[in-house]
Amino acid sequence: MDIKIKDFEGPLDLLLHLVSRYQMDIYDVPITEVIEQYLAYVATLQAMKLEVTGEYMVMASQLMLIKSRKLLPKVADSLETEEDLEQDLLSQIEEYRKFKLLGEKMAEQHEERALYYSKPKIELVYEDATLLHDKTTIDLFLAFSKLMTQKREEFAQNHTTIVKDEYKIEDMMNVIRNRCHLQEKIALQAIFSETKDINEVITLFLATLELVKVQEIQVVQEENFGNIYLMGKRNE
C-alpha cells in the first residue's frame, strides 16, 4: 500500500500554518516553538522516507541558525543580529500570508465569473492513496511529529535492542479498528503507548492515515494544541 501526503506549497506555507494555529498577531507568536514544530515535521518526513525538497531543507538550516543563536549568551551585537533574523522570517511569513489571501480572493472571483461565462465545471476524482491536504490531516501529522520525537527519546533511554519485525499496514489497521470498537474515543498517544520501535510507530501512523482516508475513523481535536482523539464511525 502506497500512501502519499501532499506537500504544502512550500516552507512558508508550512510556517504560515504553524503560526496561524496560535490565533494571534504573527509578530507575537513564540518563534522558538514554531521553529521546533517545523524541524520536527521535516524530521518526521525524513524518518518516513517521504521526499523532502531542497527548499524545505534550506529553510530548516535557517531556522536552526535562529534557534542556535537564541541559545547563545546574549551580547549586544549578536542580540541585534538575532532580532534581525527573526524579524526577517516573520516579515516573510506575513508577506506570504497577504499574497496567499490575494490569490484566494482572485480564485473566488474567477469561480464567480465562470458561473456566468463558462461551461459547468466537471470535477474528475481519481481513486488513489493520496491524502487530502486539509486541516485535519495536517494537524494529525503535526501531532504525530511531536509524538515520534517523544518515542525516539523513550527508545534511546531504554537502551533496548529489539529485532525489527516486518510490520504491515493492514495488520495495524485492524489493531486500530479493534481499539476504536472497544472505546468510543481514544487518544492518539494511547494508540502508540505499547510500540516497541520506530518502524512500528511509523507503520501504525500510516494505518491511522489510511483509516481516516477511507472514513472508517474520524479525528477530533477540540482546541488548538489540544489532544487529538480517534473515533470509529458507528452505524446509526
Side-chain angles (χ1 to χ4, degrees):
M1 182 181 298
D2 182 24
I3 299 180
K4 300 177 182 178
I5 299 175
K6 287 187 177 180
D7 293 332
F8 287 90
E9 295 175 13
L12 285 175
D13 198 33
L14 170 55
L15 285 169
L16 178 60
H17 177 81
L18 295 174
V19 166
S20 65
R21 300 170 79 210
Y22 288 88
Q23 298 182 337
M24 62 175 66
D25 187 275
I26 284 179
Y27 293 96
D28 295 328
V29 167
I31 192 64
T32 301
E33 292 182 13
V34 173
I35 290 174
E36 289 175 350
Q37 292 171 40
Y38 180 98
L39 296 177
Y41 180 89
V42 172
T44 302
L45 288 177
Q46 292 175 317
M48 296 174 69
K49 295 181 171 56
L50 297 175
E51 183 179 356
V52 182
T53 58
E55 58 182 341
Y56 284 89
M57 300 309 298
V58 170
M59 178 62 76
S61 65
Q62 294 174 359
L63 296 179
M64 289 177 69
L65 176 61
I66 295 174
K67 181 180 177 181
S68 64
R69 289 191 172 180
K70 291 182 75 68
L71 298 176
L72 294 174
K74 306 296 183 185
V75 296
D77 292 341
S78 64
L79 181 60
E80 183 176 344
T81 302
E82 175 190 316
E83 291 177 348
D84 288 345
L85 289 172
E86 286 186 33
Q87 288 300 311
D88 182 57
L89 173 64
L90 293 172
S91 295
Q92 288 183 58
I93 298 173
E94 174 63 13
E95 285 300 311
Y96 178 79
R97 183 187 69 82
K98 293 177 180 177
F99 176 79
K100 187 170 184 176
L101 287 175
L102 178 61
E104 291 173 353
K105 184 66 176 178
M106 292 176 65
E108 289 176 4
Q109 293 174 349
H110 177 75
E111 289 289 338
E112 290 175 0
R113 287 196 297 270
L115 292 175
Y116 296 99
Y117 302 110
S118 304
K119 294 181 180 180
K121 180 181 177 182
I122 300 176
E123 290 192 5
L124 299 179
V125 180
Y126 296 93
E127 289 296 329
D128 55 22
T130 300
L131 293 168
L132 295 178
H133 178 168
D134 58 25
K135 185 178 185 297
T136 298
T137 301
I138 297 304
D139 285 346
L140 179 62
F141 196 89
L142 291 170
F144 174 70
S145 299
K146 180 179 179 180
L147 189 148
M148 195 167 84
T149 299
Q150 295 171 348
K151 297 300 290 187
R152 281 184 182 279
E153 294 174 355
E154 176 187 320
F155 296 145
Q157 290 174 0
N158 290 339
H159 300 292
T160 304
T161 302
I162 299 175
V163 178
K164 294 183 179 180
D165 294 323
E166 186 68 29
Y167 301 107
K168 296 182 179 180
I169 293 178
E170 290 82 358
D171 294 339
M172 293 299 181
M173 288 172 68
N174 287 330
V175 169
I176 298 170
R177 287 188 184 106
N178 292 335
R179 294 288 297 273
C180 289
H181 179 72
L182 294 173
Q183 296 177 251
E184 181 178 353
K185 183 171 70 173
I186 182 169
L188 179 67
Q189 192 160 0
I191 292 285
F192 297 87
S193 61
E194 298 180 3
T195 50
K196 299 182 292 295
D197 59 44
I198 286 297
N199 283 346
E200 184 179 7
V201 171
I202 292 174
T203 309
L204 192 55
F205 180 64
L206 291 175
T208 304
L209 291 177
E210 179 62 12
L211 288 170
V212 171
K213 174 186 175 292
V214 299
Q215 299 183 358
E216 284 194 40
I217 63 174
Q218 59 183 347
V219 178
V220 178
Q221 186 180 34
E222 297 177 352
E223 58 184 2
N224 278 339
F225 306 104
N227 290 331
I228 286 184
Y229 296 92
L230 305 180
M231 297 178 62
K233 294 289 186 68
R234 302 184 183 277
N235 296 326
E236 297 181 356

